[in-house]
Structure formats: C-alpha cells, structure tokens
C-alpha cells in the first residue's frame, strides 16, 4: 500500500521575507527529489483541507487563534511579525489552516485504512507552537491538531508522538504535558533553541537532550536505551512523527552530525514499532530541515522507509 502525500499550494505561497531559512524552496526541494529518486510513483497526492477553528481550538486557546487571524495581513507584500522568528504574509493564514488540516486528513486516511502511512509536506511547521504562543517559524501546531482529532474522533487511548527535530518540540510538550493518552518523545540538541526540555518531569514525556556534535552512533544508542523500551510497553494505537531533518551534518541551523542514513534508521525503527503495535499506522508531519539538498534526500529516504519495502 502506498503512502498518502498531503500538501497544499498555499504552503508554497507563505513567505517570511527574503533570506528567511523557512522558505517555499524547502517544499520544491522535496518534490524535486521525490521525482529524481523515483519515489513520486509510490505516493498518492492529496490536497490538504483547511482545519476548522473548532479543530484548532482543541489544542490552542481561541484568543490565540483570533490573534493570529487579526494579525494576518491582507494586502500584497505586507509582512506582520507574530514573534521574533515568525511572520505572516497575505498567504500565511491560509497556509497555516491548510497545514493543520493536512494532519487531520492524514489521520482520517490511516484510520480508515485507505493508507497505512501519511506524510504531511506542509509549511509553516508546527512543533514550537504552544497552546497560547507561536515560535520558531510555527503558527499552529499541525501535529497536535492531528493528535487531538484522533483522540476526539476515533476514541484512541494510546498515541505516540516522536519528535526527532534538532530543536526541542516545546509547543507539543506544552499542549500534551499530563495527557496520559499521549506519550511524547523528543530528541534535541541541548543547550540550544528553544532552551528547554532537559528538566521536564511529566510522566508522559521522554525528552532526550543530546550535546552538540552528536553523531549517528550516539543518536542510535540513546534512542535504543531511552525510548524503545518505554514505547514497547506503551503499545501505541497510532504513531505521529514530528519529522525535522535539521540535525543533518549539512544543515547549519544546528550542530548535530547526523547523515541521511541515520534518519532512515530512526524511520525504520518507528515503522517496525507501527507494524508491531498499530497496523502500521503512522502520520508524519514535516518540521525543520533547511539545507535544501539534504532535506530532499532525507525526506525521500523517510518516505521510502515509511512505505517499507520488506
């Protein structure tokens, strides 16, 4: 069964100014690599619907959602900043609603068994957006919206979220801390932006702070020791991935020394867990990754492993 590849044209129209690293070219690089690698033939494309405000309000305060709506410009060329890293142009609000809607559609596709796995190729990313805050290029927490949809509409009791972006998924942790139905596992460079996560104590959070220059061997060893036994015991019914590839050695947004094969390894481990526990059901949402060539290679490998040629 092939993979559901979900995106929307508005995600390419969202821009935060010249030279901003979170740019539309990220999506073009992914799409070009899928064609060049032959992976394009193994995915089914879907246009993401726009999330409804009630769906966003499961994870974000309504006052925050309204602030984003009010801040979004309507005139061409305008740029309004919602925090020091994150801006809105005239297309950003539409893109943000569709990026969150992608995760909702992904859940519906895998829970209805139309696809085992889905990849949301969207921007803006989401994992730094908390219940009441934007941050780190993120406006709404796309993955969290998908998780909340799965909990509300499908009555799931055990959802696993794995975040291997090089930056801590602080927004996702803010939203799901103390939610016993969600096990949140985040690996990240520490100390580094956003400067938190190393001292988290919530019973449903397994953070994995790692030092700068962490390589593939150290990354794999830490995950095997810290995450995998807890995940097996949790026995998830659905797995979400915050798929950030900015830990790649070619990416100058951070200081990890991971290679494309290391992202293939972690995806393969996740897919094996999904086979064991939840009928292969995995929803992956694009987060970071700013070295364009490396991003394209990593996502192609990620999708190949999610499809699972065994």
């Amino acid at each position: 069964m092939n993979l559901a590849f979900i995106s929307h044209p508005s995600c390419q129209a969202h821009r935060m100014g010249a030279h901003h690293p979170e740019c539309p070219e990220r999506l073009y690089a992914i799409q070009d690599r899928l064609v060049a690698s032959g992976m394009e033939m193994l995915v089914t494309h879907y246009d993401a619907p726009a999330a409804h405000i009630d769906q966003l309000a499961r994870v974000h305060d309504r006052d925050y959602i309204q602030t984003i709506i009010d801040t979004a410009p309507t005139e061409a060329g305008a740029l309004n900043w919602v925090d020091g890293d994150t801006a809105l142009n005239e297309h950003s609000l539409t893109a943000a609603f569709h990026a969150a809607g992608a995760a909702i559609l992904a859940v519906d596709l895998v829970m209805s068994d139309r696809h085992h796995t889905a990849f949301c190729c969207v921007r803006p990313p989401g994992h730094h957006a908390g219940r009441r805050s934007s941050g780190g290029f993120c406006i709404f927490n796309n993955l969290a919206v998908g998780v909340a949809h799965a909990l509300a509409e499908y009555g799931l009791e055990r959802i696993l979220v794995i975040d291997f972006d090089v930056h801590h998924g602080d927004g996702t942790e803010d939203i799901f801390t103390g939610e016993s139905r969600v096990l949140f596992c985040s690996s990240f460079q520490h100390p580094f932006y956003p400067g938190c996560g190393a001292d988290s104590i919530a019973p449903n959070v397994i953070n994995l702070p790692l030092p700068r220059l962490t390589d593939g061997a150290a990354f794999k060893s830490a995950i095997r020791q810290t995450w995998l036994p807890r995940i097996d015991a949790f026995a998830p019914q659905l797995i979400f991935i915050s798929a950030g590839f900015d830990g790649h050695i070619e990416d100058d947004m951070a200081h990890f020394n991971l290679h494309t094969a290391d992202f293939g390894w972690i995806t393969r481990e996740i897919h094996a867990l999904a086979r064991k526990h939840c009928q292969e059901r995995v929803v992956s949402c694009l987060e970071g990754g700013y070295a364009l060539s490396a991003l394209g290679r990593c996502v192609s490998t990620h999708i190949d492993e999610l499809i699972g040629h065994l």
Side-chain angles (χ1 to χ4, degrees):
M1 186 180 293
N2 63 0
L3 172 142
F5 186 93
I6 307 169
S7 193
H8 192 269
S10 64
C11 296
Q12 297 170 341
H14 162 60
R15 285 188 176 272
M16 294 188 285
H19 312 299
H20 197 292
E22 207 294 282
C23 58
E25 287 74 18
R26 299 178 66 228
L27 301 191
Y28 300 142
I30 291 169
Q31 292 164 351
D32 288 349
R33 182 64 187 180
L34 290 182
V35 172
S37 66
M39 295 302 299
E40 174 73 11
M41 304 295 292
L42 302 176
V43 305
T44 300
H45 288 267
Y46 292 88
D47 274 348
H52 302 301
I53 288 178
D54 286 347
Q55 293 170 323
L56 296 177
R58 290 172 175 151
V59 301
H60 294 294
D61 282 3
R62 289 183 182 271
D63 286 349
Y64 169 70
I65 297 169
Q66 190 60 50
T67 296
I68 294 297
I69 293 170
D70 293 343
T71 303
T74 56
E75 63 274 20
L79 202 64
N80 293 343
W81 292 84
V82 292
D83 60 63
D85 300 312
T86 314
L88 308 175
N89 73 351
E90 69 270 26
H91 304 291
S92 300
L93 185 64
T94 300
F97 273 89
H98 283 279
I104 292 170
L105 175 60
V107 169
D108 290 340
L109 290 172
V110 302
M111 291 304 297
S112 64
D113 294 325
R114 291 175 63 184
H115 296 272
H116 290 146
T117 55
F119 180 72
C120 300
C121 189
V122 294
R123 49 183 297 279
H127 74 149
H128 293 306
R131 192 166 289 279
R132 304 171 187 84
S133 60
S134 63
F137 319 151
C138 303
I139 298 169
F140 300 133
N141 196 311
N142 310 319
L143 177 144
V145 171
V147 171
H149 178 70
L151 292 171
E153 300 299 328
Y154 294 95
L156 299 185
E157 298 176 345
R158 296 183 309 280
I159 293 178
L160 169 65
V161 176
I162 290 182
D163 185 334
F164 55 69
D165 191 281
V166 79
H167 305 96
H168 174 48
D170 57 323
T172 309
E173 182 174 324
D174 172 56
I175 290 166
F176 291 119
T177 288
E179 171 52 81
S180 61
R181 296 174 294 174
V182 177
L183 179 64
F184 177 61
C185 301
S186 178
S187 60
F188 50 94
Q189 181 180 327
H190 182 79
F192 200 49
Y193 179 89
C196 57
D199 56 353
S200 299
I201 59 172
N204 68 315
V205 173
I206 312 174
N207 282 337
L208 187 56
L210 297 167
R212 68 192 309 273
L213 306 183
T214 290
D215 62 10
F219 180 71
K220 293 174 185 177
S221 177
I223 286 172
R224 287 189 183 109
Q225 294 178 34
T226 308
W227 287 359
L228 298 187
R230 284 282 304 275
I231 292 170
D232 252 339
F234 184 67
Q237 298 166 304
L238 176 62
I239 298 175
F240 284 80
I241 305 172
S242 269
F245 302 96
D246 36 7
H248 196 281
I249 193 170
E250 296 175 21
D251 201 309
D252 62 6
M253 288 287 283
H255 313 98
F256 271 11
N257 289 339
L258 302 182
H259 294 265
T260 304
D262 298 315
F263 293 105
W265 173 84
I266 183 60
T267 308
R268 192 158 55 250
E269 290 293 315
I270 294 168
H271 196 187
L273 290 164
R275 282 195 184 95
K276 180 177 181 180
H277 294 293
C278 55
Q279 301 172 274
E280 294 189 66
R281 290 170 173 159
V282 180
V283 171
S284 178
C285 298
L286 179 66
E287 301 289 0
Y290 307 98
L292 297 181
S293 177
L295 175 62
R297 299 194 309 273
C298 285
V299 171
S300 178
T301 297
H302 181 63
I303 287 174
D304 193 24
E305 293 292 350
L306 286 178
I307 293 172
H309 298 116
L310 294 181

